[in-house]
Amino acid sequence: MDKIQLLGLKSPQESLSDLGAIESLRVPGKEEFRELREQPSDPQAEQELINSIEQVYFSADSFDIVKYELEKLPPVLNLQELEEYRDKLKQQQAAVSKKVADLILEKQPAYVKELERVTSLQTGLQLAAVICTNGRRHLNIAKEGFTQASLGLLANQRKRQLLIGLLKSLRTIKTLQRTDVRLSEMLEEEDYPGAIQLCLECQKAASTFKHYSCISELNSKLQDTLEQIEEQLDVALSKICKNFDINHYTKVQQAYRLLGKTQTAMDQLHMHFTQAIHNTVFQVVLGYVELCAGNTDTKFQKLQYKDLCTHVTPDSYIPCLADLCKALWEVMLSYYRTMEWHEKHDNEDSASASEGSNMIGTEETNFDRGYIKKKLEHGLSRIWQDVQLKVKTYLLGTDLSIFKYDDFIFVLDIISRLMQVGEEFCGSKSEVLQESIRKQSVNYFKNYHRTRLDELRMFLENETWELCPVKSNFSILQLHEFKFMEQSRSPSVSPSKQPVSNSSKAVTLFEQYCSGGNPFEIQANHKDEETEDVLASNGYESDEQEKSAYQEYDSDSDVPEELKRDYVDEQTGDAPVKSVSRETLKSRKKSDYSLNKVNAPILTNTTLNVIRLVGKYMQMMNILKPIAFDVIHFMSQLFDYYLYAIYTFFGRNDSLESTGLGLSSSRLRTTLNRIQESLIDLEVSADPTATLTAAEERKEKVPSPHLSHLVVLTSGDTLYGLAERVVATESLVFLAEQFEFLQPHLDAVMPAVKKPFLQQFYSQTVSTASELRKPIYWIVAGKAIDYEQMLLLMANVKWDVKEIMSQHNVYVDALLKEFEQFNRRLNEVSKRVRIPLPVSNILWEHCIRLANRTIVEGYANVKKCSNEGRALMQLDFQQFLMKLEKLTDIRPIPDKEFVETYIKAYYLTENDMERWIKEHREYSTKQLTNLVNVCLGSHINKKARQKLLAAIDDIDRPKR
């Protein structure tokens, strides 16, 4: 059965078909079927026969059974075996045939049923053919039944509909062809978003009618128009760089957004800003160069910007620089406003995007915004770098040393304002500009400072040390040079005219001028905008003082000759003016006298000139902080030279140090030695064999000044030039006070690494100014009283009296008369110059101290002295003190103990005297020796005398 199934028989028909394909298998006929059916069958035997058939007989159709059986025959044939094999094959064939016949009979009902279905299908097809024939016949009848007019009406309606559609298409095409006119109008109106929107819509419409031949040409025309719009859009974008307009820029950005090229627009914008900077500076400089060149044939347009800057004349240099900065400000302001626009619209877009749901579009927008933000932030430093390079090139085109100081300060002021703009623009410290201007400023300032030092020496050598009449409320902040320190910080004031520190938050320049104006426009009108009011008009604070002064000075002869000289110009401090009139001299003399009544500062024209110089130096330092150390160093030299000059003129006296009074402190001596070594050129002429280094060092030094021959310091009537000494010394003290006042401002701008220099300058130099009072006024005190005459009078006194005297000696009265005369002269001097209380106290202290020491020296000259003589000494000294206290308010009396202790030492025993000698080293060897010698015989023997003299010698030995 399995082998029968291998034949793949599914029906009798299929089985017969398959069997027919086998050449060796013959289909049995009806007779044979009948015979096969009549033969007794053994199903098991038949199945065994079928199973015994070789598998090869069930192979493919191409199998050749005959060939296969012939090849199986043995070489030697045996008839009996052949017949037996043949019978076996027949039996197998019969079994297969019978099996096939059984299968066919088994499938016979299905075959019959299928045949009936085919017959029924054939009948249905015949019926359908009849129906189709009848339908065609009826359609022919219907065609003949309708009229031709009815069918024509339907055709016309259909054609009408087609024509209407065609008309709409033609109108659309006509509109598309006329779009270029509207696009041109929109471009002229700068409606770039509308033009691009219209062009894109036209392109979309044109793609709908692309099957028309005329549309293909229109498509290319629209594409050309779109490219033209992009070119004009780029031109419109470039206009933003010089004059930012919000509406204009909004249209441009909307247009680029429609094109989907916002990133490209930002790249192009930065290129335009770079080009705008180059074109702007070139045109500004070219305009000034051509204006100054006149009708020359030089083709300046062909020059490079660097070469063009060298043709700017000095007269047009500052206006050109100001206009250059104005133009660059406009470019940077446009960039600043561009960033503001993007920040504002980014916030609006972010808010609207958070409400939407299109995530893909939002991501693309966020990416574009991030790109634009980074590009703008990076462009800040790039644009500022370009601006710095252009301005640096301009600055290097001209040697700034040719300018006057005020013009140079004006240039620095403009550059400082530009650096302030840069710092607010991108937070940069303007390294390029700072380095360039610093080098030129240091070189300029060195030469300027050297000239000012020479001028200061000239002023000092021609100074007669008269009072400069200033008001009682005078302050250096009232001087024009210091106006920058007191003016409030405002955007209309340049950095050089702003205070050093301000706690309130200042409005930035971009915020101030965002809506209009220019920070560089105020520069030209800001100079000398205020006048000074520091000099007393007639020197009086009240009408009573003026009336009193007129009574004292009622004739021309009362006007001192010292006032009949040229005064330094109060406005500039640089050059003297013509001699003043007689009335002015009177007025100034009255002013001088009135200054004694009011506590006006004591200063001279030279002092005022130094203060003005300090103000100018601070202006430069405040404008350009990187050179602060150099400026402060030069300022310290001004003070050093002034201090050294005052000491040289009025305080130098080699005999002072021999007094042992410590009039010059070690700090003052150190300061004077430092100034002399570092600043004073003591050589008369240059040594031709000197080294180059030595020559360079001498260039940094100034010759020592010499006192004017008009200043007389040898007249006793004027207390040896006390008025001049007071004016000079107190002007130095006033100058030191102004430096103290300026210290916080200097400290604020001084670099941290250089602050020790500033602290050392104040602690070792400025603070020593008041110490010059002692040596200067000591010279007056040493000559105002005739101490030598007093010694002679004391030498004539007999001290070895035997009885106690009740009357003091004559020398005391003589000394008191000297002090009374000194007091009168002091009052006379005070009519010319106000003598401050510290000065008066120092003068009285010096005179009293010298008088007391002279008394001790006179007592030390005594050869013989009794106890009654020592009592007389005490009487004389007490009388002197009693009368002296009526002349002065100084308490306690200086060196009072110095005299009393010396007198009382006469009564000491041997042991007490030895201890006293060792403890009181303020006395000279002569004074101690005389004390021991006078005591000999009274209560000290010779042996004790030798011992005490040896002790004195031991004390004196280290001093040798």
Side-chain angles (χ1 to χ4, degrees), residues 647 651-664 775 778-779 782-783 850:
Y647 171 75
R652 177 174 287 177
N653 193 331
D654 296 334
S655 63
L656 289 180
E657 302 304 326
S658 62
T659 61
L661 298 177
L663 296 175
S664 298
W778 178 270
I779 296 176
K783 297 178 180 180
L850 283 171

Side-chain angles (χ1 to χ4, degrees), residues 5 41 62 155 186 255 306 339 370 372 380 423 460 508 559 565 570 577 719 729 735 766 790-791 826 910 924 940:
Q5 292 176 351
S41 59
S62 61
M186 296 178 77
K306 180 179 180 181
M339 290 193 67
I372 292 173
L380 285 172
E423 187 171 353
L460 289 170
T508 64
V559 180
R565 65 180 183 86
E570 291 83 357
V577 298
L719 279 181
T729 308
L735 184 61
V766 177
M790 188 176 66
L791 287 175
L826 197 60
E910 174 186 346
S924 65
I940 295 179

Side-chain angles (χ1 to χ4, degrees), residues 37-82:
R37 293 180 62 183
E38 292 177 354
Q39 292 178 359
S41 59
D42 184 0
Q44 184 175 1
E46 291 179 354
Q47 186 63 37
E48 290 179 357
L49 284 175
I50 291 173
N51 291 339
S52 65
I53 297 174
E54 296 182 13
Q55 189 69 26
V56 70
Y57 284 97
F58 299 97
S59 62
D61 296 339
S62 61
F63 177 65
D64 190 353
I65 299 175
V66 177
K67 184 178 179 181
Y68 175 72
E69 291 296 338
L70 291 175
E71 288 177 353
K72 285 176 58 179
L73 294 177
V76 179
L77 302 174
N78 188 333
L79 183 60
Q80 184 177 355
E81 292 178 353
L82 289 173

Side-chain angles (χ1 to χ4, degrees), residues 350-382:
S350 299
S352 60
S354 61
E355 299 174 359
S357 58
N358 187 359
M359 296 301 296
I360 298 178
T362 302
E363 290 179 359
E364 292 178 356
T365 303
N366 290 337
F367 178 78
D368 289 343
R369 282 204 301 266
Y371 177 84
I372 292 173
K373 184 178 180 180
K374 291 182 179 179
K375 191 75 175 178
L376 287 172
E377 290 175 351
H378 177 71
L380 285 172
S381 56
R382 176 182 173 185

Side-chain angles (χ1 to χ4, degrees), residues 858-877:
Y859 292 161
N861 293 332
V862 175
K863 303 299 182 181
K864 294 180 181 181
C865 182
S866 62
N867 290 335
E868 291 78 7
R870 289 294 172 182
L872 181 58
M873 290 181 182
Q874 290 182 346
L875 177 63
D876 291 345
F877 187 64

